[in-house]
């Protein structure tokens, strides 16, 4: 059974940083690209980063480019999202997700339960 468990969310002031983690199990983690997506209250899912299975290639939408960094540790089946210079509009539930195609980060196969990130003073 595929399991994805996110952690690291919380309350942070604007301009602050958070590092999210996602522990993966139940599948060959190093064979799949992975993505982070988020959902703000009353809005749909928005992808915020994607990483290739080997971790060499990454992509970001303009909304987070230069502030967020996705990475992975294939030896320990863990995905990360480093978020810097956080803004109130980054407030959302963040999910890590297993995908099948690096070029299609919104076609989610499985996602975790999510972790809340709140950016507020």
């Amino acid at each position: 059974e595929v399991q994805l468990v996110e952690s690291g969310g919380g309350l942070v002031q604007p301009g602050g940083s958070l590092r999210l983690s996602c522990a993966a199990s139940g599948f060959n983690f190093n064979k799949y690209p992975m993505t982070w997506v988020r959902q703000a209250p009353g809005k749909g899912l928005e992808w915020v980063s994607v990483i290739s299975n080997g971790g060499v290639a990454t992509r970001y939408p303009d909304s987070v480019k230069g502030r967020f960094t996705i990475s992975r540790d294939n030896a320990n089946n863990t995905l990360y999202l480093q978020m810097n210079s956080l803004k109130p509009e980054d407030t959302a539930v963040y999910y890590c997700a297993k995908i099948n195609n690096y070029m299609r980060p919104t076609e989610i196969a499985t996602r975790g339960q999510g972790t809340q990130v709140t950016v507020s003073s």
Side-chain angles (χ1 to χ4, degrees):
E1 178 188 3
V2 174
Q3 287 197 328
L4 299 167
V5 180
E6 302 92 339
S7 62
L11 173 64
V12 62
Q13 293 187 339
S17 298
L18 279 176
R19 189 192 196 201
L20 306 183
S21 299
C22 172
S25 62
F27 65 105
N28 290 327
F29 181 72
N30 62 1
K31 293 189 182 300
Y32 288 89
M34 297 289 293
T35 189
W36 285 96
V37 296
R38 67 186 180 187
Q39 187 164 26
K43 296 189 177 181
L45 280 176
E46 175 191 16
W47 77 277
V48 295
S49 59
V50 60
I51 189 167
S52 61
N53 64 312
V56 174
T58 59
R59 288 193 298 129
Y60 306 89
D62 288 344
S63 58
V64 307
K65 194 175 295 182
R67 301 188 298 121
F68 288 13
T69 303
I70 188 172
S71 61
R72 65 192 297 163
D73 179 351
N74 283 347
N76 291 296
N77 292 352
T78 304
L79 181 72
Y80 300 102
L81 184 66
Q82 177 67 44
M83 305 186 295
N84 298 329
S85 302
L86 283 161
K87 304 175 181 180
E89 52 263 44
D90 294 319
T91 295
V93 178
Y94 284 71
Y95 303 89
C96 71
K98 173 179 174 284
I99 58 175
N100 294 314
N101 189 325
Y102 171 79
M103 296 306 296
R104 298 177 180 174
T106 59
E107 295 182 1
I108 293 170
T110 308
R111 67 176 181 179
Q113 84 291 346
T115 186
Q116 176 71 47
V117 171
T118 302
V119 184
S120 175
S121 54

